Amino acid sequence: MQTLAHFVDGGPGPWILFFPLIWAAVVVGGITLLRRTVWRGRRGPRRAAPDENSPITVLGHRFASGEIDEDEYWRRLSVLDEQFGPTGKGGAV
């Protein structure tokens, strides 16, 4: 331990204790970078849970239960997509 304190005598000095900390920071930084870029794409895009009261969801339930036919479903869906689609002002999805 005396060689750490007396780096003038040819010892490495107290700075030798920082090298493990520097390597740990490099490893943690690399893992963080990989998690934020490469590994995120494997899980797929995160989508918000659909709102049960959104007009598009209600329309889907009505079509599934047989209240409306397929032509009416697509006609109404095209109108709702303009207002409540992902890029619309309603922001239902």
Side-chain angles (χ1 to χ4, degrees), residues 45-68:
R46 294 183 182 176
R47 302 183 79 191
D51 184 19
E52 287 295 321
N53 295 327
S54 74
I56 295 175
T57 305
V58 171
L59 181 66
H61 288 302
R62 288 186 64 199
F63 177 65
S65 67
E67 292 180 36
I68 58 175

Side-chain angles (χ1 to χ4, degrees), residues 9-39:
D9 298 335
W15 298 105
I16 193 73
L17 299 175
F18 286 110
F19 286 116
L21 295 176
I22 291 171
W23 281 111
V26 167
V27 169
V28 168
I31 291 174
T32 302
L33 182 69
L34 286 174
R35 287 186 70 200
R36 290 180 179 250
T37 57
V38 177
W39 293 341

